[in-house]
């Protein structure tokens, strides 16, 4: 970790109350016209001016950082210099970063340029087009020789997915960088400070005076400072890439760091704070637009899945056998899930469509799944041959599997199995660690110097990974299959045991439970809550009585599943449903909408009452303790009330939009 800063700006380290300068960079006089000793002796007002110092203290109160940097003027070496000042807290210290503003900076022209690129970004309707527009726009603003976007995969490896380069500058498009180049500590730094600016890799770093925090005796942690200096390893890395200047901006997604915008200069290349802020604005717009396009794509996909489920629902009235189901819907399911084969396995009955492993291997695979996979989430792999579960089985062409269980009764499960074939790829790696070089061959031309030879890897034995939206859709489909399987089994029981009234009554009760209740949380399922909502809307139309709908989603549920496992995820959903159910009135209804989403239908409830109920539920869940889970669980709630002319779809759409605002407003909150 560097204990020095770059020479392109100056740094003050203040006490938590902003009353004392604890440390100052040695170049403070060159940047701001006040010596470090003077700042240490007379306080921050001597550097910033007392009026600005007091104003900044008020603006920072209760915040981690200023909403926006401020500009001040100071006389330095006989000339008036404009400086940009930014304040942010880190632990018990406040950092003041001071950077000169170049006289050539034309704010009006820059704003016009940025506005033009923002318009182009807003018009982009495909992720590739969006990222290409971003790198072109950033290069036009900063003038760097190379601007690229690197995205991260599930294993932490980076891949260049968009690039704009100047003439005679080597391209990195399509190049992959190992996860070791992006260690966890680097990702954590970008969580705290999204921007990394190095105008000159070879510029000497500047120490702080005194070298250690005078109150603690420890070196100051500069990881969240924009001006933090380069470590020797970072400087060596950039030299190996033949890069003299770099500007990096983090692109954050819902699950953490999605990727990086990286600007390279082959020579020293200062970037003005105004241009840097403009780049951040373009990156933020791009990130929002990128995930909006992703959400739209997923919505279209889910619409296709819903259409398939509706067709399946109409088929269910005939109680067909699995083979008949696959004859009618197998091709459609293969297309939806990009699968080469689909199998439906139930006790004493099974069927398949497409390219599948041999029947004996399928049977042994399902037996292992039943023995080793006990929860309701899908079991997935895109490297099936490497899984212990598939050891010793002849799986034919199958390289990927999503196995989705569905309950048939209290003791038996069926399985929807989706198989994918091999997806061969050639990866070009830069700086691949030696452990991976045995399976690769170097190209004849070095890429960027000795440390960055290009290595090509032929990826075999893998399928396309299973996306989260595909897993959710498969679970919904399997739920319908479970209802059908249960109905079919109960139908057989009815035919066999029609003379036995007790057995018939039990079968009917089982069917009723499966038809109306979610098997995991025991709250109403989607079908039941939709019926209840239709009834309440009808009453609201006839009698004009108020009606509120609360749609809520468990925050960071994917992280809980990833960190603690799906069994803990199932337990959290069960505990959440029980906690909410216990806080509802007798006239309110709770239903599981799907995945980690739930709906509350509150009759005789207007907007004020609905918001009050939502807030009580949010607070109750936030105080909930789940055994074995060290983190608290929270929910984001959207509230909508019935309006004349509302349908179920429009009312839920408003609740969903409100929940979306709650999510993007910080989570663990209520919106209407």
């Amino acid at each position: 970790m560097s204990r020095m800063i770059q020479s392109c700006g100056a740094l003050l380290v203040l006490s938590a109350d902003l009353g004392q300068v604890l440390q100052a960079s040695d170049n403070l006089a060159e940047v701001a016209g006040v010596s470090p000793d003077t700042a240490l002796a007379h306080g921050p007002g001597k550097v910033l001016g007392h009026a600005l110092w007091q104003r900044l203290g008020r603006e920072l109160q209760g915040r981690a950082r200023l909403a926006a940097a401020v500009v001040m003027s100071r006389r330095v070496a006989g000339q008036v210099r404009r400086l940009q000042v930014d304040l942010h807290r880190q632990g018990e210290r406040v950092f003041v970063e001071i950077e000169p503003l170049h006289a050539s900076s034309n704010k009006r022209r820059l704003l016009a340029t940025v506005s033009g690129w923002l318009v182009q970004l807003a018009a982009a309707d495909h992720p590739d087009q969006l990222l290409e527009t971003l790198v072109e726009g950033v290069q036009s603003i900063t003038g760097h020789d190379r601007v690229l976007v690197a995205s991260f995969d599930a294993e932490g490896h980076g891949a260049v997915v968009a690039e704009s380069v100047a003439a005679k500058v080597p391209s990195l498009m399509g190049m992959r960088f190992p996860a070791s180049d992006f260690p966890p500590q680097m990702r954590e730094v970008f969580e705290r400070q999204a921007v990394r600016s190095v105008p000159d890799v070879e510029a000497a770093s500047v120490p702080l005076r005194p070298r250690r925090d005078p109150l603690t005796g420890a070196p100051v942690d500069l990881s969240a400072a924009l001006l933090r200096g380069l470590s020797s390893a970072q400087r060596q890395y950039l030299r190996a890439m033949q890069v003299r200047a770099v500007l990096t901006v983090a692109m954050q997604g819902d699950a953490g760091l999605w990727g990086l915008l990286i600007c390279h200069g082959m020579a020293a290349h200062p970037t003005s704070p105004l241009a840097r802020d403009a780049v951040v604005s373009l990156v933020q717009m791009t990130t929002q637009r990128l995930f909006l396009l992703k959400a739209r794509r997923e919505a279209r996909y889910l619409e296709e899945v819903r259409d398939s489920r509706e067709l399946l629902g109409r088929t269910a009235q005939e109680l067909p056998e699995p083979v008949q189901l696959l004859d009618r819907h197998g091709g459609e399911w293969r297309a939806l899930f990009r699968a080469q084969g689909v199998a439906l396995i139930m006790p004493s009955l099974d069927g398949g469509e497409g390219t599948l492993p041999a029947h004996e291997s399928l049977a042994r695979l399902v037996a292992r799944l039943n023995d080793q996979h006990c929860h309701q989430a899908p079991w997935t792999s895109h490297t099936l041959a490497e899984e212990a579960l598939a050891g010793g089985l002849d799986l034919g062409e199958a390289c990927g599997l999503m196995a989705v269980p569905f309950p048939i009764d209290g003791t038996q499960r069926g399985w929807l199995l989706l198989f994918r074939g091999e997806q061969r790829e050639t990866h070009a790696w830069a700086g691949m660690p030696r452990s991976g070089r045995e399976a690769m061959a170097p190209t004849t031309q070095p890429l960027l110097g000795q440390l960055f030879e290009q290595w090509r890897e032929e990826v075999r034995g893998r399928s396309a990974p299973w996306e989260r939206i595909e897993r959710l859709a498969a679970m919904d489909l399997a739920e319908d299959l479970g209802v059908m399987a249960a109905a079919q089994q109960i139908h057989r029981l009815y035919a066999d045991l029609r003379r036995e009234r007790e057995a018939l009554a039990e079968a009917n009760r089982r069917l009723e439970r499966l038809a109306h209740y979610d098997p995991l949380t025991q709250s109403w399922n989607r079908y039941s809550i939709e019926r209840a909502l239709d009834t309440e809307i009808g009453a609201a139309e006839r009698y004009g009585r108020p009606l509120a709908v609360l749609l809520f989603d468990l925050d960071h549920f994917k992280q809980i599943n990833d960190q603690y496992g799906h069994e803990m995820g199932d337990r959290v959903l069960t505990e959440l449903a029980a906690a909410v159910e216990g806080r509802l009135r007798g006239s309110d209804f709770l239903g599981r909408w799907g995945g980690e989403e739930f709906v509350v239908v509150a009759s005789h409830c207007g907007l004020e009452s609905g918001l009050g109920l939502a807030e009580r539920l949010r607070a109750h869940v936030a105080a909930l303790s789940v055994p074995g889970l060290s983190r608290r669980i929270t929910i984001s709630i959207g509230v909508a009330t019935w309006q004349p002319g509302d349908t179920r779809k429009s009312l839920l759409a408003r609740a969903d939009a409100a929940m979306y605002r709650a999510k993007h407003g910080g989570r663990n909150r209520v919106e209407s």
Side-chain angles (χ1 to χ4, degrees):
M1 180 185 299
S2 175
R3 306 299 184 188
M4 297 191 286
I5 68 164
Q6 300 178 66
S7 59
C8 56
L11 178 71
L12 298 176
V13 181
L14 308 184
S15 57
D17 61 359
L18 278 72
Q20 180 182 0
V21 176
L22 302 176
Q23 294 173 279
S25 60
D26 276 357
N27 65 342
L28 185 62
E30 289 82 354
V31 174
V34 178
S35 72
D37 292 336
T38 301
L40 291 166
H42 297 282
K46 188 67 176 178
V47 182
L48 304 175
H50 288 281
L52 179 60
W53 170 40
Q54 292 174 358
R55 171 192 154 196
L56 293 177
R58 290 192 299 270
E59 291 185 8
L60 190 65
Q61 191 170 11
R63 296 180 177 178
R65 66 182 317 122
L66 290 181
V70 299
V71 176
M72 69 177 187
S73 296
R74 289 290 177 270
R75 183 169 293 277
V76 181
Q79 295 183 340
V80 175
R81 176 181 290 178
R82 295 174 69 244
L83 304 169
Q84 177 169 292
V85 181
D86 195 13
L87 272 70
H88 57 91
R89 293 186 184 275
Q90 181 169 324
E92 295 299 316
R93 299 292 176 260
V94 175
F95 288 0
V96 181
E97 299 190 74
I98 306 172
E99 298 178 86
L101 287 173
H102 304 299
S104 60
S105 300
N106 188 321
K107 187 173 183 179
R108 182 174 299 178
R109 182 182 302 168
L110 180 62
L111 287 175
T113 302
V114 172
S115 297
W117 285 108
L118 288 174
V119 169
Q120 293 190 50
L121 289 172
D125 56 5
H126 190 278
D128 291 346
Q129 179 189 3
L130 183 68
L131 295 177
E132 289 169 3
T133 303
L134 173 65
V135 295
E136 291 173 5
V138 170
Q139 190 176 43
S140 74
I141 290 171
T142 67
H144 280 90
D145 297 300
R146 181 195 295 123
V147 179
L148 59 88
V149 171
S151 67
F152 298 118
D153 62 19
E155 298 173 342
H157 302 310
V160 179
V161 294
E163 182 187 58
S164 180
V165 293
K168 298 183 180 180
V169 174
S171 171
L172 298 181
M173 187 63 187
M175 192 64 60
R176 296 172 66 86
F177 293 82
S180 57
D181 289 358
F182 307 99
Q185 58 268 31
M186 183 213 73
R187 294 168 178 264
E188 292 173 6
V189 168
F190 275 115
E191 291 283 347
R192 299 193 297 271
Q193 172 58 267
V195 181
R196 181 72 156 121
S197 179
V198 183
D200 188 355
V201 170
E202 302 301 334
S205 296
V206 177
L208 301 183
R209 186 182 306 176
R211 300 297 185 258
R212 294 176 177 267
D213 187 318
L215 300 183
T216 66
V220 65
D221 180 6
L222 297 177
S223 61
L226 175 68
L227 295 172
R228 64 188 183 276
L230 289 170
S231 67
S232 58
Q234 291 168 337
R235 185 173 279 109
Q236 181 184 11
Y237 184 91
L238 292 171
R239 286 170 178 166
M241 293 188 71
Q242 301 175 1
V243 169
R244 184 73 180 270
V246 63
L247 171 65
T248 306
V249 182
M251 302 179 72
Q252 299 290 350
D254 291 339
L257 188 63
W258 176 86
L260 296 172
L261 172 89
I262 305 174
C263 307
H264 288 159
M266 302 299 108
H269 189 91
T271 303
S272 73
L274 292 177
R276 191 176 63 227
D277 291 345
V279 170
V280 172
S281 297
L282 293 185
V283 169
Q284 290 174 342
M285 172 68 172
T286 300
T287 305
Q288 293 171 5
R289 182 73 178 166
L290 186 68
F291 288 98
L292 175 62
L293 293 175
K294 177 184 176 183
R296 288 179 177 174
R297 178 178 65 84
E298 290 183 349
R300 288 193 295 269
Y301 177 74
L302 289 178
E303 188 66 35
E304 294 177 1
V305 174
R306 277 194 291 269
D307 291 343
S308 178
R309 294 180 69 187
E310 289 178 3
L311 288 174
L312 183 61
R314 289 196 287 269
T315 304
Q317 299 175 6
E318 308 169 16
L319 294 176
E321 297 291 341
V323 174
Q324 295 173 303
L325 274 178
L326 290 168
D327 285 343
R328 299 182 189 182
H329 303 286
E332 178 186 336
W333 294 342
R334 286 174 55 199
L336 278 174
F337 294 100
R338 298 178 294 155
Q340 69 172 12
V342 55
L344 190 56
I345 310 296
M346 296 162 53
S348 73
L349 294 168
D350 60 71
E353 202 272 343
T355 303
L356 295 169
H359 185 274
E360 180 183 354
S361 294
L362 273 180
R364 292 174 63 190
L365 180 63
V366 169
R368 294 179 184 181
L369 285 166
N370 279 321
D371 183 52
Q372 301 178 32
H373 188 75
C374 300
H375 49 78
Q376 291 187 330
W379 185 93
T380 61
S381 174
H382 64 284
T383 55
L384 189 54
E386 300 174 10
E387 303 288 348
L389 192 74
L393 300 181
D394 180 9
L395 300 174
E397 300 177 11
C399 293
L401 168 64
M402 175 157 57
V404 193
F406 54 88
I408 296 175
D409 58 25
T411 60
Q412 294 179 309
R413 292 193 297 179
W415 290 89
L416 174 65
L417 305 178
L418 299 159
F419 292 92
R420 280 180 175 166
E422 184 178 60
Q423 179 176 283
R424 294 189 182 183
E425 293 180 332
T426 300
H427 291 167
W429 291 88
M432 170 59 68
R434 293 188 178 277
S435 61
R437 294 186 176 186
E438 297 177 0
M440 305 180 194
T443 60
T444 56
Q445 296 296 325
L447 174 64
L448 295 170
Q450 287 185 343
L451 295 183
F452 282 86
E453 288 182 328
Q454 179 176 332
W455 295 79
R456 293 196 175 274
E457 175 191 21
E458 297 294 331
V459 180
R460 302 287 301 274
R462 297 188 176 192
S463 73
W466 300 96
E467 297 182 11
R468 177 175 179 270
I469 192 68
E470 293 174 325
R471 296 195 297 270
L472 293 175
M475 289 177 68
D476 287 343
L477 180 59
E479 182 179 336
D480 292 342
L481 292 171
V483 172
M484 288 183 62
Q488 186 181 67
Q489 188 176 35
I490 291 171
H491 177 74
R492 290 197 184 97
L493 287 173
Y494 181 83
D496 294 340
L497 307 174
R498 57 184 178 274
R499 297 175 185 172
E500 300 289 340
R501 292 185 179 181
E502 184 177 349
L504 179 58
E506 177 61 26
N508 285 333
R509 282 194 298 270
R510 191 184 307 166
L511 178 59
E512 181 73 13
R513 191 75 186 172
L514 287 168
H516 295 283
Y517 289 86
D518 174 59
L520 174 64
T521 63
Q522 299 305 309
S523 57
W524 279 5
N525 60 18
R526 184 167 182 153
Y527 170 75
S528 297
I529 205 69
E530 285 179 346
R531 288 186 60 185
L533 186 54
D534 288 342
T535 300
E536 292 299 327
I537 289 175
E541 289 174 342
R542 287 194 298 274
Y543 308 118
R545 72 188 191 195
L547 169 64
V549 171
L550 284 60
L551 182 63
F552 65 89
D553 180 275
L554 184 62
D555 296 328
H556 301 297
F557 184 65
K558 182 179 183 296
Q559 294 180 11
I560 293 175
N561 273 334
D562 290 346
Q563 184 176 354
Y564 295 90
H566 289 286
E567 290 185 13
M568 175 59 74
D570 290 349
R571 187 189 307 168
V572 168
L573 291 177
T574 302
E575 295 273 357
L576 172 64
V580 172
E581 189 82 57
R583 290 283 169 157
L584 298 180
R585 304 170 303 171
S587 58
D588 298 337
F589 309 101
L590 171 68
R592 186 180 180 191
W593 196 242
E596 61 265 33
E597 286 187 1
F598 293 80
V599 172
V600 172
V601 178
S603 59
H604 300 281
C605 190
L607 180 58
E608 183 176 354
S609 299
L611 290 172
L613 173 60
E615 183 57 30
R616 291 193 297 274
L617 294 179
R618 183 205 64 77
H620 182 57
V621 171
L624 191 63
S625 176
V626 178
L629 185 69
S630 60
R631 59 189 293 170
R632 69 170 185 162
I633 60 175
T634 61
I635 56 176
S636 299
I637 308 178
V639 180
T641 55
W642 177 83
Q643 299 173 4
D646 258 346
T647 63
R648 181 214 310 158
K649 183 176 181 180
S650 62
L651 183 56
L652 285 169
R654 289 204 308 278
D656 185 73
M659 184 182 74
Y660 180 84
R661 290 194 296 274
K663 280 283 187 187
H664 287 265
R667 296 184 173 85
N668 190 22
R669 59 188 293 148
V670 175
E671 292 284 353
S672 64

